[in-house]
Amino acid sequence: MINFNLNNLIRDNIKTIRPYSSARDEYKDLTDGMVFIDANENPFNTNVNRYPDPQQTEIKKRLSELKGIPTNQILLGNGSDEVLDLIFRVFCEPYRENIITLPPTYGMYDVLANLNAVDNMEIELEPDFQPNIEEILAAAHTHTKLLFLCSPNNPTANSFKAKRIEELINEFQGIVVIDEAYIDFSKKESWLSRLDEFPNLIITQTLSKAYGLAGIRLGVCYASQEIISVLNKIKPPYNINQLSQDKALERLNAMDAVDREVKTIITERKKLRKALKSIRFIEKVYPSDANFILAKVDDANQRYQQLVEQGIVVRNRTNQPLCDNCLRFSVGTEAENEKLIQTLTNL
């Protein structure tokens, strides 16, 4: 991005805000034998009677090892939704500024825009589910602060072409957020490898998908040290609880198991796509770089209800742009996928 000035994009009140300083921010040395009577905690040991590390130091160290990104360029959130909300709060002035999203896409972008009183300019994807660069750049103006690119995209499951993404990062005069929730299931390289090339780039990932930790709600944000520093100013002081931190670190230290599961899901995805193509009422099965598959059927509402009656819940996306009569199938276990196909065959 030419002539990038982060300070010009940050809301004025955020520039001057004085961040909350927690007890563990002010005193970090947790040496055994120290007496801590500074945080108004219950002194009796329950294993969780103390506040957690507000900066999640050990998790960030492990992520830094795995991703090759310095710890001062990492922020953790209570799910990716908290990370996204913090981004809105830093950059978007309510009732005055706006964002761009590319439907069909992840619905929380629009929810968060409304929550923060920010206009969402929707630029529909092209029929092949790729961004329309010309329309996006034409729509953007001086009050357009954020551009959200979900790649691989939900619900379409495809990755955006790298050349298009790079052009948008270079030409868009605001912050580009690439949501890589599903990147672990794709052969495409993560944009983390080029993070330092683009000062206006934020990348979000999650432990909910490939890492199998949806229940602990842990999202990850990668950006320049300057952007992370600003986000840290406004994040809640103890936003990741101790149980979540412990479970996350345990899983991040078991990457062999994570890699095996991802490989299995990719194998099952391939089998499931092939099987779906044989179902008589499925008209199209779209390519997938995610852990789910989008398929066009003859009547999505009817087929969705039939599956529910057979004890199988999928996602009906027929009301989304470009997704008329489309169902989204998450890749399950081998047994779950076989049950799905058998049920579809018998409908």
Side-chain angles (χ1 to χ4, degrees):
M1 183 179 180
I2 301 173
N3 299 323
F4 177 75
N5 188 326
L6 179 63
N7 199 55
N8 290 341
L9 297 175
I10 300 170
R11 293 170 60 196
D12 289 339
N13 65 311
I14 300 298
K15 295 175 188 176
T16 59
I17 196 170
R18 184 177 180 180
Y20 176 79
S21 180
S22 71
R24 289 291 71 78
D25 283 317
E26 293 180 6
Y27 192 89
K28 299 179 176 64
D29 186 356
L30 303 182
T31 304
D32 288 343
M34 295 292 291
V35 176
F36 291 99
I37 51 175
D38 60 343
N40 299 339
E41 300 156 322
N42 185 321
F44 299 102
N45 184 25
T46 64
N47 292 323
V48 288
N49 59 304
R50 300 295 183 183
Y51 284 111
D53 175 6
Q55 292 300 324
Q56 309 93 35
T57 306
E58 294 305 312
I59 299 176
K60 288 179 182 177
K61 285 181 180 177
R62 182 59 178 144
L63 285 171
S64 179
E65 293 172 357
L66 293 171
K67 304 292 186 176
I69 303 296
T71 57
N72 60 10
Q73 291 183 244
I74 303 173
L75 177 90
L76 301 184
N78 182 13
S80 293
D81 294 336
E82 182 182 52
V83 169
L84 296 172
D85 188 44
L86 291 174
I87 294 170
F88 271 91
R89 290 167 184 252
V90 164
F91 295 108
C92 296
E93 191 66 39
Y95 302 107
R96 193 175 77 190
E97 295 175 331
N98 57 70
I99 68 165
I100 292 177
T101 62
L102 313 179
T105 193
Y106 181 44
M108 276 304 294
Y109 308 144
D110 187 58
V111 171
L112 290 169
N114 281 289
L115 180 65
N116 287 282
V118 173
D119 186 37
N120 177 19
M121 297 192 295
E122 296 183 325
I123 308 298
E124 197 170 286
L125 292 175
E126 295 179 343
D128 62 352
F129 299 146
Q130 290 294 324
N132 187 320
I133 295 175
E134 185 176 333
E135 287 193 16
I136 293 168
L137 296 178
H141 52 79
T142 55
H143 291 305
T144 308
K145 289 297 194 69
L146 304 173
L147 168 61
F148 287 93
L149 305 176
C150 187
S151 183
N153 188 40
N154 176 17
T156 60
N158 67 300
S159 297
F160 296 155
K161 294 177 181 179
K163 285 186 177 180
R164 296 199 187 193
I165 292 178
E166 184 168 357
E167 184 173 349
L168 287 169
I169 297 172
N170 284 322
E171 297 297 328
F172 182 70
Q173 299 301 302
I175 299 294
V176 177
V177 182
I178 302 180
D179 185 342
E180 291 191 336
Y182 301 98
I183 192 64
D184 299 283
F185 306 102
S186 174
K187 293 181 179 179
K188 305 291 192 301
E189 187 175 15
S190 166
W191 282 86
L192 287 178
S193 63
R194 302 185 63 187
L195 179 61
D196 288 341
E197 294 181 38
F198 308 107
N200 63 325
L201 177 60
I202 294 176
I203 298 168
T204 63
Q205 295 185 357
T206 180
L207 271 65
S208 294
K209 310 300 179 183
Y211 295 86
L213 296 179
I216 72 168
R217 308 303 300 126
L218 189 59
V220 189
C221 174
Y222 301 94
S224 68
Q225 181 180 347
E226 292 76 17
I227 290 176
I228 295 297
S229 177
V230 178
L231 292 170
N232 261 320
K233 286 176 64 176
I234 67 165
K235 83 168 186 66
Y238 300 109
N239 60 325
I240 310 298
N241 71 71
Q242 190 62 56
L243 299 177
S244 291
Q245 291 194 40
D246 292 343
K247 192 64 180 179
L249 197 57
E250 175 188 318
R251 188 64 161 160
L252 290 169
N253 286 324
M255 288 305 299
D256 286 348
V258 173
D259 292 341
R260 282 197 304 272
E261 291 171 14
V262 169
K263 185 177 180 180
T264 299
I265 290 170
I266 292 173
T267 299
E268 286 298 314
R269 181 182 70 194
K270 182 178 180 180
K271 290 164 55 179
L272 185 57
R273 284 194 73 244
K274 181 179 179 181
L276 288 171
K277 290 178 180 179
S278 69
I279 303 300
R280 61 178 176 80
F281 56 80
I282 291 183
E283 299 173 4
K284 184 171 183 176
V285 180
Y286 292 93
S288 175
D289 278 338
N291 66 335
F292 59 87
I293 297 168
L294 187 72
K296 185 177 180 63
V297 300
D298 55 351
D299 187 328
N301 294 328
Q302 177 190 8
R303 301 306 180 183
Y304 173 83
Q305 190 57 43
Q306 288 175 329
L307 285 169
V308 169
E309 291 170 359
Q310 296 298 317
I312 298 175
V313 183
V314 299
R315 201 74 186 271
N316 187 352
R317 301 284 76 186
T318 192
N319 292 326
Q320 297 292 308
L322 304 177
C323 294
D324 184 47
N325 279 322
C326 284
L327 298 177
R328 194 190 72 188
F329 302 93
S330 298
V331 179
T333 64
E334 182 177 17
E336 289 171 335
N337 297 334
E338 288 176 354
K339 180 179 179 180
L340 170 64
I341 293 303
Q342 187 60 52
T343 302
L344 290 171
T345 301
N346 294 332
L347 289 182

